[in-house]
Amino acid sequence: MKHSVFGIIELSRNNIPAEAHAMNNSITQDNQNDNQISKTIKRFFARFHVASALKTAGAYHKKGTPVTQIFQYLFLLIFSNRSMYMNLLSGRNTPAFAKDTVYRFMKSTQINWIRFTTILASRIIKDAVVPLNNADRENVLCIDDSMFERNRSKKVELLAKTYDHAKHAYKFGFRMLTLGWTDGSTFLPVNSILLSTDNKKNRVNEAVSLDKRTIGYKRRKLSMTKGTEAMLELLKAAKTTGIPAKYVLFDSWFSSPKSLHAVKNLGYEVIGMIKKTPKMFFRYNGEELSLIDIYKRNKKRRGRSKYLLSVDVEAIKDGKAVPARVVYVRNRNKRKEYLCLITTDTSLCEDEIIRLYGKRWDIEVFFKVCKSYLRLSKECHCLSFDAMTAHTAVVFTRYMMLSIENRESNDNRSLGELFLYFSDEMSDITWMQAFQMLLQMFRKLLEEHCDLVDEKIDELVDTFISTLPSLLQSQLIVA
């Protein structure tokens, strides 16, 4: 009589003795988790000492499950294509700890996630990226924000009504202000803060009451400040860890004489796009003029030049002047209009200013990958502001691994292709783990019901494996 595959599995399951089930249960969950981690992910965690970065950021192992295991479980969730809830429901890839342990970890008010991602990015930059670059290559920091949507939520802590500049509409959520580092080839997120709003009328919910000495309180206070002020805190954190960068790039939303002075005082040079507004003035030839008036007073370059006009000005704030250079560039989308780039490094030529500012595009690619592949705003449904911040740090760590793997691999796969590769690899490892468990139960059955010595059992198992296709044999050996 012929049986279906599922029927054979069911018959085998009914004939397995209790000792085999006990042997199956005796396999520790830690070993299962270790087997499910690919070599690349293992190497990334060990090479850049993710565990010590967590400890430095305040994630201590006081009792119970080590925080590294919890963070590792959250890190791997995306590659299994299942949420924690579905893993627990199906019984696959279940951790050795309860789900409440994960929630307590994510809601911790003592972990400084800005410090964690900054330290990890600094290690990757100094150990794996900078040594391979030329000494004359300019490294830059990029600042930009992107929408972190929570449209279906009404009770999220510090939820705000925020304007989405990409879709030109108001939405519920946060502005994820992000600081990233790039050398023009590899982009690494350094740190970020989920900005609510400083306008109390636009905040749907307020922050919970916390001790003012905790990191959680400071994190919430920073989220209710203006973007230009929060930007300086992120830059200070990067400066503390010694991330090598000379320039800071940002778009017109962060450009103003006040921002130029603040970033310059931190020891960085600025290259940014600046608004053409009659309300912002710069000192030009002894007069306070707007960029529009300066453009009208000068003769423009003709032909197909990369830029139309270049002038030296001074950015004035509280009576102090910072020398700057403004480059007027033709807008490719609207030929009759122009864009304005400004830099505090007046030694740069116009072509170099335009080239360096082009590196800012890497942060736009970063936002796209995080939202399309790494489930930036879809994986976490927690109401706690600390949990959302922790989730953001986990997503940043995933991107760091993909970015460094993309740089050091020999092929030309994009970050999205690398993500799918890791997901497939994790699925293969999970299947091989199940196959190994079946082999172990098969050995147990032979020991219990057949009068065979260990050498004979090993010979039978080896004979069975040798009949498998070569691909399965190689994968079984790796697993």
Side-chain angles (χ1 to χ4, degrees):
M1 181 177 61
K2 296 182 180 180
H3 297 282
S4 66
V5 175
F6 294 103
I8 294 174
I9 294 175
E10 188 63 31
L11 289 173
S12 302
R13 183 185 304 169
N14 295 333
N15 293 327
I16 294 175
E19 291 82 358
H21 287 292
M23 182 272 304
N24 182 19
N25 294 333
S26 66
I27 301 175
T28 62
Q29 193 68 42
D30 293 340
N31 291 336
Q32 291 184 24
N33 291 337
D34 290 341
N35 291 333
Q36 292 173 10
I37 305 173
S38 68
K39 290 183 178 180
T40 304
I41 298 175
K42 278 185 179 179
R43 185 172 64 248
F44 174 80
F45 271 73
R47 178 182 180 185
F48 301 110
H49 309 287
V50 176
S52 67
L54 285 168
K55 186 177 180 180
T56 306
Y60 293 100
H61 175 209
K62 297 180 181 179
K63 62 178 181 179
T65 307
V67 294
T68 309
Q69 290 187 16
I70 304 174
F71 183 85
Q72 186 174 275
Y73 174 73
L74 292 171
F75 181 89
L76 292 171
L77 273 179
I78 187 70
F79 300 109
S80 63
N81 293 322
R82 294 189 179 210
S83 64
M84 182 173 65
Y85 171 77
M86 290 304 300
N87 280 338
L88 294 174
L89 192 66
S90 61
R92 294 185 58 189
N93 302 334
T94 55
F97 38 85
K99 63 179 181 179
D100 292 341
T101 305
V102 179
Y103 292 141
R104 282 196 298 269
F105 171 75
M106 296 184 69
K107 294 178 182 179
S108 175
T109 60
Q110 305 298 329
I111 303 177
N112 191 339
W113 291 110
I114 290 179
R115 182 167 176 78
F116 166 73
T117 55
T118 305
I119 291 174
L120 185 58
S122 176
R123 291 177 180 176
I124 296 174
I125 292 169
K126 294 177 182 178
D127 298 343
V129 181
V130 172
L132 303 178
N133 289 342
N134 295 328
D136 57 348
R137 172 170 284 194
E138 296 292 353
N139 305 316
V140 301
L141 292 170
C142 305
I143 293 178
D144 202 357
D145 60 348
S146 183
M147 192 68 189
F148 188 96
E149 295 185 18
R150 293 299 299 267
N151 278 327
R152 293 188 176 183
S153 305
K154 294 183 179 179
K155 297 182 180 180
V156 175
E157 187 179 0
L158 288 176
L159 183 68
K161 190 177 181 181
T162 308
Y163 185 74
D164 188 353
H165 299 289
K167 298 181 180 179
H168 304 287
Y170 278 95
K171 295 188 176 182
F172 291 106
F174 304 88
R175 290 170 56 208
M176 189 182 71
L177 182 64
T178 302
L179 175 67
W181 179 93
T182 181
D183 60 349
S185 176
T186 301
F187 179 87
L188 292 170
V190 177
N191 49 42
S192 71
I193 183 69
L194 294 176
L195 293 178
S196 178
T197 178
D198 57 338
N199 187 355
K200 192 174 181 179
K201 295 181 180 179
N202 289 337
R203 285 201 299 269
V204 180
N205 298 310
E206 296 298 325
V208 298
S209 180
L210 291 175
D211 189 339
K212 295 184 179 181
R213 296 171 294 180
T214 62
I215 298 297
Y217 174 83
K218 297 176 182 177
R219 182 159 48 226
R220 287 162 173 78
K221 184 178 179 181
L222 182 62
S223 71
M224 292 183 283
T225 59
K226 293 183 178 180
T228 52
E229 298 176 5
M231 171 187 70
L232 299 178
E233 296 299 324
L234 300 183
L235 285 172
K236 290 177 183 178
K239 189 76 174 180
T240 302
T241 56
I243 292 179
K246 182 178 180 181
Y247 299 98
V248 177
L249 313 180
F250 43 70
D251 59 12
S252 58
W253 295 104
F254 303 95
S255 295
S256 66
K258 182 179 179 180
S259 298
L260 298 181
H261 278 259
V263 176
K264 184 76 173 179
N265 291 336
L266 290 178
Y268 296 106
E269 301 290 349
V270 173
I271 300 177
M273 188 174 292
I274 195 161
K275 294 179 181 179
K276 300 177 296 180
T277 171
K279 298 180 180 180
M280 188 182 302
F281 300 95
F282 294 87
R283 183 179 295 168
Y284 176 69
N285 292 337
E287 297 183 69
E288 300 290 333
L289 300 173
S290 67
L291 295 179
I292 300 174
D293 293 333
I294 295 175
Y295 183 78
K296 292 178 179 179
R297 293 193 179 190
N298 288 273
K299 183 178 180 181
K300 272 64 74 177
R301 291 164 59 92
R302 301 180 64 182
R304 297 183 178 180
S305 175
K306 288 186 178 181
Y307 64 96
L308 298 171
L309 177 66
S310 175
V311 294
D312 291 334
V313 299
E314 290 182 332
I316 309 299
K317 180 62 179 177
D318 298 331
K320 298 180 180 179
V322 170
R325 174 168 295 171
V326 179
V327 179
Y328 294 81
V329 183
R330 183 180 283 109
N331 190 343
R332 292 182 178 180
N333 298 324
K334 298 180 180 180
R335 300 288 296 177
K336 295 183 178 181
E337 296 185 3
Y338 58 87
L339 305 173
C340 299
L341 300 179
I342 189 168
T343 179
T344 56
D345 187 0
T346 56
S347 63
L348 290 176
C349 65
E350 290 76 9
D351 291 342
E352 188 70 4
I353 294 171
I354 298 172
R355 186 187 70 84
L356 289 175
Y357 185 75
K359 293 184 177 183
R360 200 194 70 84
W361 179 251
D362 290 345
I363 198 171
E364 303 290 351
V365 177
F366 161 74
F367 289 139
K368 179 63 175 178
V369 172
C370 286
K371 292 181 178 181
S372 299
Y373 294 99
L374 304 183
R375 299 178 188 170
L376 176 62
S377 57
K378 294 182 180 180
E379 186 179 34
C380 180
H381 301 286
C382 294
L383 305 181
S384 168
F385 186 77
D386 296 306
M388 290 184 293
T389 305
H391 166 68
T392 304
V394 172
V395 172
F396 278 26
T397 308
R398 293 168 181 166
Y399 188 92
M400 291 181 195
M401 186 197 69
L402 293 175
S403 183
I404 197 65
E405 181 66 19
N406 184 50
R407 180 183 180 92
E408 295 181 344
S409 60
N410 295 324
D411 53 39
N412 296 319
R413 287 179 293 184
S414 65
L415 293 180
E417 292 171 326
L418 280 174
F419 165 76
L420 295 176
Y421 164 76
F422 282 119
S423 299
D424 293 339
E425 189 178 55
M426 292 292 295
S427 299
D428 292 340
I429 293 174
T430 303
W431 186 88
M432 292 309 300
Q433 179 195 358
F435 193 84
Q436 283 181 310
M437 293 175 63
L438 289 175
L439 284 179
Q440 291 177 8
M441 286 187 282
F442 176 65
R443 289 180 59 92
K444 188 68 175 178
L445 285 171
L446 292 177
E447 292 175 2
E448 294 292 335
H449 297 277
C450 300
D451 190 13
L452 298 175
V453 295
D454 292 341
E455 291 78 7
K456 188 62 178 179
I457 294 176
D458 292 338
E459 182 181 346
L460 289 173
V461 173
D462 292 339
T463 303
F464 171 71
I465 294 178
S466 64
T467 60
L468 297 174
S470 58
L471 179 61
L472 290 179
Q473 293 184 36
S474 61
Q475 290 294 330
L476 191 60
I477 293 173
V478 171

